[in-house]
Amino acid sequence: MALVVQKYGGTSVGTIEKIRNVARRVARTYDDGNDVIVVVSAMAGETNKLVALADEMCEFPSEREYDVLVSSGEQVSVALLSMCLQSMGYKAKSYLGWQIPIYSDSAFSKARIEEISDTNIREDLRSGTIVVVAGFQGTDRDGNITTFGRGGSDTSAVAVAAALKADVCEILTDVDGVYTTDPRIVPEASKMEKISYDEMLEMASLGSKVLQIRSVEFAKKFGVIVHVRSSLNDNPGTLVMKEDEEMETVLVSGITYNKDEAKISVMRVPDMPGIAAKLFSPLSESNISVDMIIQNVSHEGYTDLTFTVPRTDFKKALKLVEEASAKIGAEGVESNQSIAKISIVGVGMRSHSGIASKMFTTLADEGINIQMISTSEIKVSCVIDDKYTELAVRVLHQAFGLDKVQD
Ligand code: ASP
Ligand code: MG
C-alpha cells in the first residue's frame, strides 16, 4: 500500500462532468489499496474571473483581501469533488489551507510555504478517508489567508507530498507529460520518460508551463518524485526526479522558447565604477527582474550595455532606464520587443563539450542572427528575432537528435 498525492489542474475539474471523471480516477486509486490525498485547483477560468473582479473593484486592492478573494475558487472545487466521492460511497473530506494548516509567510499573492501540519490528514487517512485539499492557498501565523502565486496548486501538492512523505506526487493535467519541445511547433517532439529536477527547473524558468517553478524547487529540496501525466488516460507520463547516469549520456534533453521578454540597450555608457548599479537599481526597486545582461568591451572609456526584461514590464523599465541613462551621461537608449529566447537544456552538457558551438552553427546555417547569449552549467540560451522562433526550435530539435523516429 502506498500514499499517493494526486493533483488535478483547473481544466481537469472544469465542469461537473469532469469532476465526476476525476472522482472515478481517485476512487480507482483508492480501490487499488492506496491512501489518497487529492489536491485540486479552481475550476478552469475561475481564478481569472476573480482576479478580474478585484481589478474592477479598485485600482490597488488590499493584498489581504485579494488573497481572500482569489483563493475562493478552490473552495468550490474541493467541496464538489468531496460531495461526488461521498455520493459514490467513499469517505471523503475537504480541507482549505488554514484547516490543515498549511503555514506560509505573509507575502500575499506570492506566499512561501513554511510548514505543513500532518496531524489532521493522518487521522483521516487512518480512518480510510480520501483527503481533498484546496490547492494554491495557506495561512500565515496570524490566521490570514495567503496564496502561492498563479499555478500554485502544483506547489501545494508537492509540499503536501513532502510533508506526508508520500510515495509519489502525481500531477494530472491536460498534457501527457514533459516533451522535448512544444509539440505544436515540432510534431516530432517526444514525451520524456524522466527528467532531472535541475533540467525541469531550467525548462520551467525558460518558458515551459507544465509545472510551477516553486513546485520543482520544493520537489528537489525534499526529494519528492513528481509524475506528470494525463488525467484522461493511464499512460505513464514523465517522472521528475533525481539525476541518474542515464540522463547524463543525453547531450540535450529539451528545447524551450520564450517570447515574453524585451531587449533594452544603453549606448555609450561612461565606463566607471557604480554605473551598472545606477542603471539597474531603479529596476530592482520597481521589482522588475532583469534576465540576460551583456556589457561590451570598453572602447575609449565608453561601453554599451544590453539586457532583457519581462515584456509585461517593458514600458515601465524603458522609462526608468531612459531617466537613469540621462543621469549617467549615456548617449541614448535603444529597445526591441520583437525578440525570442531559445534555449537548449540538458545535464549532459556538464560532461560534454561542443554543445554551444553546435547550437550556434545550427542557427547560422539557417541565417538566424544571434543577438545575445547566456549560459549556465546545463543550458545555453540565445536571443534571436522572434520571427525565427519556430524555425530555430525545429532545426535545433533535429540537430540534437531529438526528433522521434517515426514508425
Ligand atoms: N487556481 C490557481 C490559478 O489559476 C492555482 C492553480 O491553478 O494552480 O493560478
Ligand atoms: Mg497549472
Side-chain angles (χ1 to χ4, degrees):
M1 180 159 118
L3 172 56
V4 179
V5 173
Q6 292 189 329
K7 179 256 170 180
Y8 292 90
T11 45
S12 302
V13 295
T15 62
I16 290 292
E17 205 37 58
K18 287 183 175 177
I19 293 178
R20 287 208 175 97
N21 290 336
V22 165
R24 279 193 279 272
R25 182 161 190 149
V26 170
R28 195 148 45 82
T29 312
Y30 179 87
D31 290 340
D32 286 343
N34 301 297
D35 281 338
V36 188
I37 303 171
V38 195
V39 177
V40 285
S41 299
M43 296 169 78
E46 287 305 316
T47 310
N48 286 345
K49 271 189 215 155
L50 296 165
V51 169
L53 282 175
D55 287 344
E56 205 182 319
M57 182 50 67
C58 52
E59 205 182 339
F60 299 108
S62 131
E63 293 187 318
R64 180 186 185 278
E65 304 314 328
Y66 182 89
D67 276 9
V68 172
L69 178 71
V70 300
S71 62
S72 65
E74 274 74 10
Q75 182 160 351
V76 174
S77 50
V78 284
L80 288 172
L81 178 59
S82 303
M83 284 174 194
C84 183
L85 284 163
Q86 289 161 4
S87 70
M88 291 160 63
Y90 292 85
K91 280 203 252 179
K93 184 173 172 187
S94 68
Y95 277 98
L96 300 179
W98 64 268
Q99 292 173 309
I100 295 182
I102 297 180
Y103 289 113
S104 73
D105 61 19
S106 304
F108 295 112
S109 83
K110 47 181 175 300
R112 282 187 179 273
I113 296 176
E114 290 177 341
E115 191 189 339
I116 298 182
S117 161
D118 64 354
T119 323
N120 292 329
I121 297 182
R122 286 243 183 262
E123 203 175 300
D124 285 325
L125 293 176
R126 257 195 301 274
S127 70
T129 303
I130 297 171
V131 175
V132 183
V133 175
F136 184 48
Q137 55 172 275
T139 172
D140 70 6
R141 307 280 169 169
D142 299 323
N144 299 303
I145 294 174
T146 55
T147 63
F148 307 146
R150 299 306 306 270
S153 300
D154 292 342
T155 303
S156 303
V158 175
V160 166
L164 275 290
K165 303 190 176 55
D167 296 282
V168 64
C169 178
E170 295 188 335
I171 303 283
L172 294 128
T173 173
D174 50 0
V175 294
D176 286 341
V178 184
Y179 276 72
T180 49
T181 196
D182 186 344
R184 287 170 303 184
I185 294 187
V186 185
E188 291 82 11
S190 55
K191 185 174 70 189
M192 298 181 213
E193 217 175 288
K194 54 191 178 183
I195 178 170
S196 71
Y197 295 123
D198 288 332
E199 288 169 322
M200 194 64 232
L201 274 176
E202 289 283 10
M203 303 265 289
S205 57
L206 293 168
S208 156
K209 300 209 164 54
V210 187
L211 288 174
Q212 198 199 31
I213 296 178
R214 271 192 197 169
S215 70
V216 188
E217 289 168 354
F218 232 100
K220 181 182 175 188
K221 187 161 166 200
F222 295 99
V224 177
I225 298 178
V226 177
H227 187 179
V228 180
R229 61 193 305 190
S230 167
S231 64
L232 301 173
N233 59 49
D234 286 332
N235 300 340
T238 304
L239 293 176
V240 186
M241 53 185 269
K242 230 178 105 200
E243 193 174 319
D244 62 22
E245 277 165 22
E246 201 184 323
M247 292 175 183
E248 278 174 29
T249 62
V250 182
L251 301 186
V252 169
S253 309
I255 296 172
T256 62
Y257 65 94
N258 179 337
K259 298 187 187 184
D260 301 334
E261 289 183 20
K263 188 174 84 166
I264 299 179
S265 301
V266 190
M267 315 311 288
R268 271 180 75 84
V269 179
D271 191 11
M272 57 175 85
I275 290 293
K278 286 203 181 92
L279 267 176
F280 292 115
S281 300
L283 296 177
S284 66
E285 278 156 22
S286 300
N287 270 321
I288 298 175
S289 52
V290 174
D291 182 25
M292 298 163 98
I293 303 178
I294 290 182
Q295 178 175 346
N296 289 352
V297 173
S298 162
H299 187 66
E300 290 165 0
Y302 292 93
T303 176
D304 298 339
L305 254 164
T306 302
F307 53 93
T308 63
V309 294
R311 243 184 243 190
T312 43
D313 292 328
F314 173 70
K315 273 198 191 140
K316 204 160 118 194
L318 188 60
K319 189 164 166 276
L320 291 170
V321 172
E322 277 169 350
E323 285 164 10
S325 130
K327 272 192 211 143
I328 59 176
E331 192 182 86
V333 179
E334 288 174 9
S335 63
N336 184 354
Q337 291 197 74
S338 312
I339 58 161
K341 184 170 73 175
I342 313 291
S343 311
I344 57 176
V345 176
V347 290
M349 285 182 207
R350 288 202 196 109
S351 44
H352 296 85
S353 56
I355 294 181
S357 60
K358 181 162 180 174
M359 177 181 196
F360 306 151
T361 313
T362 307
L363 294 175
D365 286 347
E366 299 297 326
I368 300 173
N369 185 41
I370 299 171
Q371 304 177 15
M372 300 173 84
I373 299 167
S374 78
T375 63
S376 81
E377 221 191 355
I378 62 163
K379 74 125 204 263
V380 184
S381 300
C382 293
V383 166
I384 61 170
D385 188 328
D386 72 352
K387 71 175 182 235
Y388 295 123
T389 307
E390 283 77 11
L391 175 63
V393 170
R394 241 181 284 129
V395 292
L396 289 169
H397 197 267
Q398 197 190 16
F400 285 103
L402 295 174
D403 283 5
K404 156 175 81 188
V405 185
Q406 303 288 348
D407 45 19

